[in-house]
Amino acid sequence: MKISKRLGGIDAMVINRYQHIWDCCCDHGQLGMRLLERDAAEQIHFVDKVPVIMESLERRLTHRFGEHNDQWQLYTIDVFTLPIDNYALEQSHLIIIAGVGGELSLQIVQKLLKSYPQHRLDFILCPLRHQYNLRKGLAQLSLTLIDEELLKEQKWYYEIIHVANNNALLGTGESRRLDRPIVATGSLLWENSNALHQAYLGQIIGHYQRSLLRLEIESVLHRQVQTVLSEYYQILNELEE
Ligand SMILES: C[S@@+](CC[C@H](N)C(=O)[O-])C[C@H]1O[C@@H](n2cnc3c(N)ncnc32)[C@H](O)[C@@H]1O
């Protein structure tokens, strides 16, 4: 099945085998289908709140993977109500949230961690905007960074962020391979940087510079944007060294 470069980038970030992968806000379900096709988890769960989308997806899944295939499940629900508690605490979950805004992505992660603090939840996030605020919010939760990647498809840049809830492992004797803090501007994102990273950073800096011009000098928002901008300038200095 041919999928977009963005969805392919998310698929490639799923390296460890999970018991459950949740393709949240799945719409066409292409990502979940790719994961199902390559047997990336014991169960792939497709979640979207729009009934007509899920009816059409159910027909496609039944056609391709069979009606009685217990490796996939559909949920026509709000993603805030994901039924993770249908499964035992020790089962591993990867929750993928792509193609929605960064603020909504953060609210979903906050809600799921609050509802299921002891479940083993990893997240892959690929928001449409507000990556800085998303990461800043993630850093305030009990999450650590597994991986990050930048890619460009047509004229759009996408950040893919893979994080883990390490609190769930407390007392289990298990530890993570990587235990990096989450940095609001991104950290692993800029490793091995090339022209793509430079161009993206230029675009981000240009965006915040234009925002500053629209804000009242000395206002709280102006100071906040200046802080964000200075953090991105720091990245620029490091890339140029
Ligand atoms: C642009 S599509 C993203 C599709 C796919 N994830 C991707 O990245 O290509 C956004 C989907 O999110 C769904 N959605 C938005 N908010 C949701 C929520 N709170 N619960 C479940 N689905 C939601 C919409 O119905 C829509 O189908």
Side-chain angles (χ1 to χ4, degrees):
M1 189 179 81
K2 192 163 165 40
I3 57 174
S4 67
K5 190 171 171 186
R6 175 181 60 92
L7 294 178
I10 298 172
D11 174 44
M13 211 175 258
V14 183
I15 296 166
N16 292 342
R17 189 171 162 83
Y18 291 88
Q19 277 157 312
H20 303 274
I21 299 183
W22 299 79
D23 183 3
C24 296
C25 304
C26 66
D27 195 358
H28 40 69
Q30 288 176 0
L31 178 60
M33 280 196 256
R34 161 62 66 93
L35 294 164
L36 192 52
E37 211 172 48
R38 71 172 177 87
D39 190 27
E42 284 170 25
Q43 286 204 311
I44 309 284
H45 308 268
F46 296 83
V47 183
D48 202 289
K49 65 180 178 182
V50 179
V52 67
I53 288 178
M54 298 311 270
E55 284 155 20
S56 143
L57 182 56
E58 182 165 23
R59 283 193 293 276
R60 270 178 290 139
L61 283 166
T62 302
H63 177 72
R64 288 194 50 185
F65 300 99
E67 192 177 354
H68 302 294
N69 183 337
D70 59 7
Q71 210 179 351
W72 59 268
Q73 290 198 47
L74 287 180
Y75 306 78
T76 309
I77 56 169
D78 192 312
V79 69
F80 285 89
T81 65
L82 231 52
I84 302 283
D85 53 353
N86 282 351
Y87 303 97
L89 284 184
E90 61 274 12
Q91 300 213 357
S92 59
H93 300 259
L94 173 65
I95 296 168
I96 303 180
I97 306 165
V100 297
E103 284 168 7
L104 177 60
S105 305
L106 178 59
Q107 287 163 9
I108 297 167
V109 175
Q110 286 168 331
K111 172 70 169 61
L112 294 177
L113 287 180
K114 194 166 175 210
S115 302
Y116 307 115
Q118 293 182 304
H119 279 80
R120 299 179 54 172
L121 307 184
D122 286 0
F123 296 86
I124 291 186
L125 309 165
C126 182
L128 294 180
R129 283 174 297 280
H130 301 127
Q131 290 85 351
Y132 180 93
N133 286 340
L134 169 61
R135 276 211 194 71
K136 198 167 176 187
L138 295 176
Q140 289 162 1
L141 300 167
S142 55
L143 297 167
T144 52
L145 184 65
I146 299 177
D147 200 4
E148 307 180 292
E149 200 188 321
L150 174 69
L151 59 83
K152 187 178 185 191
E153 183 165 37
Q154 294 169 2
K155 59 179 180 169
W156 306 110
Y157 292 94
Y158 297 99
E159 296 182 29
I160 307 173
I161 308 164
H162 191 177
V163 295
N165 178 18
N166 278 344
N167 263 5
L169 295 180
L170 287 178
T172 65
E174 284 185 59
S175 63
R176 291 274 172 192
R177 203 167 20 97
L178 279 175
D179 191 19
R180 291 171 189 264
I182 299 168
V183 180
T185 47
S187 50
L188 290 175
L189 188 76
W190 307 105
E191 277 191 0
N192 305 317
S193 77
N194 55 32
L196 178 80
H197 298 78
Q198 298 271 0
Y200 180 51
L201 189 56
Q203 191 185 79
I204 296 175
I205 289 176
H207 162 76
Y208 283 112
Q209 283 171 334
R210 286 190 298 281
S211 305
L212 267 189
L213 295 177
R214 289 195 297 270
L215 295 169
E216 198 181 321
I217 294 175
E218 295 303 320
S219 65
V220 174
L221 215 49
H222 191 277
R223 278 200 295 276
Q224 284 172 348
V225 173
Q226 266 182 327
T227 305
V228 176
L229 200 45
S230 68
E231 290 174 32
Y232 279 110
Y233 278 135
Q234 176 70 34
I235 303 273
L236 184 63
N237 289 339
E238 285 165 14
L239 294 195
E240 283 174 352
E241 270 169 15

